[in-house]
DNA sequence: CGTATGACGTGCA
DNA sequence: GTGCACGCCATAC
C-alpha cells in the first residue's frame, strides 16, 4: 500500500466533518485520527496544509483557548464567535 | 537519513 | 491563578 499518511488524512476528514457551532480540541482530533498522542502533529499538519475546504478554525486547545490560525487568530475568533463558540481567550 | 520545528498538553514552582 | 520548562508526535528541510 502507498504511504497514505493516515494521520494527516484522517485528521482532515475529521475536521471536515465538524458541524457548525461545534469545535474539537487538537487532542480530540488526534485521538479520532488514531493517535491520541499526536495532537502536536495535528496542529502542524493543519498549519502546513491550510486548506480552505477544512474548517480548521474549529480546532481549539484543550484549555478552551482559541489557539492559532494561519489567517490570523483574530479571524479564527471571529468565525467561532459567529458560530456561538465560547472562547476563553476572548469574551463574546 | 538526521535535525529542527510547531496552530499543543501537562506538570511543577 | 500565572508562568516556565519538558515531553510528545508527525512533517519539512
Amino acid at each position: 500500500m502507498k504511504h497514505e499518511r493516515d494521520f494527516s488524512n484522517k485528521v482532515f476528514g475529521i475536521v471536515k466533518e465538524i458541524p457548525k457551532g461545534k469545535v474539537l480540541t487538537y487532542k480530540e482530533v488526534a485521538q479520532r485520527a488514531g493517535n491520541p498522542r499526536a495532537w502536536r502533529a495535528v496542529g502542524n499538519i493543519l498549519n502546513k496544509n491550510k486548506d480552505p475546504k477544512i474548517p480548521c478554525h474549529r480546532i481549539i486547545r484543550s484549555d478552551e483557548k482559541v489557539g492559532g490560525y494561519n489567517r490570523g487568530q483574530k479571524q479564527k475568533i471571529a468565525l467561532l464567535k459567529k458560530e456561538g463558540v465560547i472562547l476563553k481567550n476572548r469574551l463574546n
Side-chain angles (χ1 to χ4, degrees):
Chain A
M1 294 295 279
K2 299 181 294 256
H3 306 148
E4 290 187 22
R5 281 186 216 172
D6 284 335
F7 195 69
S8 55
N9 192 335
K10 202 76 172 286
V11 170
F12 288 117
I14 292 163
V15 177
K16 282 192 292 191
E17 289 185 70
I18 299 175
K20 184 180 172 221
K22 179 66 181 298
V23 292
L24 289 175
T25 62
Y26 295 98
K27 196 161 46 171
E28 285 290 292
V29 176
Q31 186 168 17
R32 292 184 182 206
N35 285 350
R37 320 254 164 172
W39 19 268
R40 270 285 203 172
V42 175
N44 242 348
I45 293 161
L46 294 173
N47 179 9
K48 285 160 187 191
N49 291 277
K50 47 202 186 210
D51 201 304
K53 300 296 186 195
I54 301 176
C56 38
H57 65 269
R58 289 193 181 137
I59 311 300
I60 61 173
R61 297 192 14 167
S62 318
D63 304 283
E64 296 182 292
K65 300 267 172 57
V66 59
Y69 196 48
N70 312 76
R71 295 190 73 197
Q73 190 184 60
K74 188 178 175 189
Q75 182 63 37
K76 185 174 180 180
I77 293 167
L79 289 166
L80 292 171
K81 183 179 169 191
K82 279 176 71 171
E83 299 196 0
V85 179
I86 311 298
L87 296 171
K88 203 172 185 185
N89 269 22
R90 206 79 166 184
L91 293 174
N92 292 308

